[in-house]
C-alpha cells in the first residue's frame, strides 16, 4: 500500500545538537509535502511545506526540509535545537495518486534535553 | 482569529454505546476534515466536507460512523455502536482551500476511550 514512513519513532538529543528527521513516501507523480508539529498541549500546526521550485524549503523556527525526488524523501532538519523544540513531528503528503488526501506518517517524538 | 473548536475534549464510554463529537471550523473555511489518530500513529482522514457536501468518505467505516455538516459550518461525527478499537483522538481540521494544497488548521481533538 502507498504510504508515508518516518524512520524514527523517538529521538532524544541535547540542546544545540543538530536534528534530522527522515520521511519517505511511496507515491508516484505529483506530490505536495508538509511537516506538521505538535508541541506539548497544543494543536497540530504547519511547520513548512513544499509544492514546487527550490527543493530546499525553509519554515518557522529555523527548520528546513529538503525534497529529493529521486529518493522519495522529504527530510526535516534544524542545525541547532532548543529545549522548546520538544514536540512530535509529522510528515504528510498530498498526492494526486491518492486523491489529494493528506496522508500522515506515524510521527517522531523529539525530546530535547536542556 | 479564533481557531477550530471541538467538544468534548475527553469522552469515556463503554463498548456498544454511542458517542458524538462536535466541531466548529475557522470562520470562512469551506473545507472541513475529520481525522482519527490512534495512539502511536499519525492522523488518518475519515471524511472531508466542502461546505455541506461530502468530498471524500472512502475511509469512513460507514457501518458505525456517520458525519454531517448540515449548514456548511459546524459538523458532528457520530459513532454507533462504539468498539474498543475506536479508542483514539478525533481531530477536526479546516481549510479555505478544498484542493488540500494549503495549510489545514487543526482543533485540539477529542480523546475517546472505549472500555
Amino acid at each position: 500500500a502507498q504510504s508515508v514512513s518516518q524512520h524514527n519513532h523517538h529521538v532524544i538529543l541535547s540542546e544545540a545538537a543538530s536534528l534530522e528527521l527522515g520521511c519517505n513516501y511511496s507515491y508516484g507523480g505529483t506530490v505536495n509535502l508538509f511537516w506538521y508539529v505538535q508541541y506539548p498541549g497544543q494543536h497540530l500546526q504547519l511547520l513548512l511545506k513544499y509544492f514546487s521550485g527550490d527543493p530546499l524549503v525553509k519554515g518557522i523556527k529555523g527548520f528546513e526540509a529538503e525534497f529529493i525526488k529521486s529518493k522519495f524523501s522529504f527530510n526535516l532538519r534544524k542545525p541547532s535545537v532548543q529545549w522548546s523544540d520538544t514536540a512530535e513531528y509529522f510528515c504528510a503528503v498530498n498526492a494526486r495518486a491518492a486523491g489529494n488526501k493528506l496522508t500522515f506518517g506515524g510521527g517522531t517524538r523529539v525530546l530535547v534535553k536542556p | 482569529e479564533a481557531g477550530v473548536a471541538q467538544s468534548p475534549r475527553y469522552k469515556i464510554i463503554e463498548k456498544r454505546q454511542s458517542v458524538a463529537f462536535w466541531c466548529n471550523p475557522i470562520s470562512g473555511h469551506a473545507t472541513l476534515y475529520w481525522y482519527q489518530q490512534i495512539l502511536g500513529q499519525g492522523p488518518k482522514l475519515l471524511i472531508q466536507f466542502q461546505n455541506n457536501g461530502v468530498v471524500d468518505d472512502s475511509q469512513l467505516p460507514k457501518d458505525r460512523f456517520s458525519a454531517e455538516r448540515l449548514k456548511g459550518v459546524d459538523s458532528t461525527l457520530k459513532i454507533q455502536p462504539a468498539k474498543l478499537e475506536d479508542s483514539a483522538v478525533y481531530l477536526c481540521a479546516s481549510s479555505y482551500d478544498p484542493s488540500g494544497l494549503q495549510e489545514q488548521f487543526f482543533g485540539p481533538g477529542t480523546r475517546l476511550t472505549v472500555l
Side-chain angles (χ1 to χ4, degrees):
Chain A
Q2 294 178 321
S3 65
V4 180
S5 300
Q6 293 183 238
H7 311 306
N8 306 97
H9 295 295
H10 294 90
V11 172
I12 301 174
L13 58 168
S14 299
E15 279 193 310
S18 64
L19 173 69
E20 180 160 359
L21 302 181
C23 173
N24 285 91
Y25 60 92
S26 60
Y27 302 97
T30 302
V31 293
N32 300 288
L33 303 160
F34 305 79
W35 277 95
Y36 278 83
V37 61
Q38 188 166 23
Y39 297 103
Q42 296 189 25
H43 310 177
L44 266 172
Q45 58 186 281
L46 184 67
L47 199 53
L48 49 78
K49 61 187 179 186
Y50 171 80
F51 290 167
S52 62
D54 188 344
L56 186 62
V57 293
K58 295 191 183 301
I60 60 172
K61 304 187 180 185
F63 283 89
E64 64 180 29
E66 185 175 12
F67 171 51
I68 303 179
K69 189 173 182 179
S70 60
K71 294 185 177 180
F72 296 84
S73 70
F74 189 55
N75 293 352
L76 181 70
R77 297 194 291 252
K78 186 169 183 178
S80 177
V81 295
Q82 301 173 314
W83 174 78
S84 58
D85 294 321
T86 292
E88 188 159 18
Y89 294 81
F90 293 92
C91 179
V93 177
N94 177 302
R96 191 169 294 175
N100 287 331
K101 281 193 289 285
L102 194 61
T103 302
F104 285 83
T108 300
R109 287 185 182 269
V110 174
L111 173 62
V112 180
K113 296 185 295 183
Chain B
E1 177 183 82
V4 176
Q6 289 188 248
S7 69
R9 293 294 310 276
Y10 304 91
K11 189 75 177 178
I12 301 173
I13 62 173
E14 296 190 347
K15 60 183 179 183
R16 292 189 287 274
Q17 286 187 320
S18 62
V19 64
F21 313 126
W22 174 82
C23 173
N24 183 253
I26 291 173
S27 178
H29 283 191
T31 308
L32 185 147
Y33 307 84
W34 282 103
Y35 289 86
Q36 180 192 59
Q37 185 176 14
I38 293 171
L39 187 65
Q41 300 180 20
K44 183 186 86 170
L45 180 68
L46 292 175
I47 189 167
Q48 176 185 345
F49 289 95
Q50 178 66 17
N51 295 310
N52 61 350
V54 175
V55 173
D56 185 344
D57 64 357
S58 58
Q59 298 185 106
L60 187 74
K62 298 180 189 62
D63 58 333
R64 297 184 300 107
F65 286 64
S66 64
E68 59 183 17
R69 194 184 183 200
L70 293 176
K71 297 183 179 179
V73 181
D74 293 8
S75 177
T76 55
L77 176 70
K78 296 179 181 177
I79 307 175
Q80 183 178 11
K83 292 185 175 181
L84 296 176
E85 57 261 36
D86 298 331
S87 293
V89 175
Y90 290 86
L91 297 168
C92 179
S94 71
S95 174
Y96 65 85
D97 173 24
S99 74
L101 298 180
Q102 298 301 328
E103 179 178 1
Q104 294 183 23
F105 294 84
F106 285 82
T110 297
R111 184 176 297 275
L112 173 67
T113 302
V114 181
L115 303 176

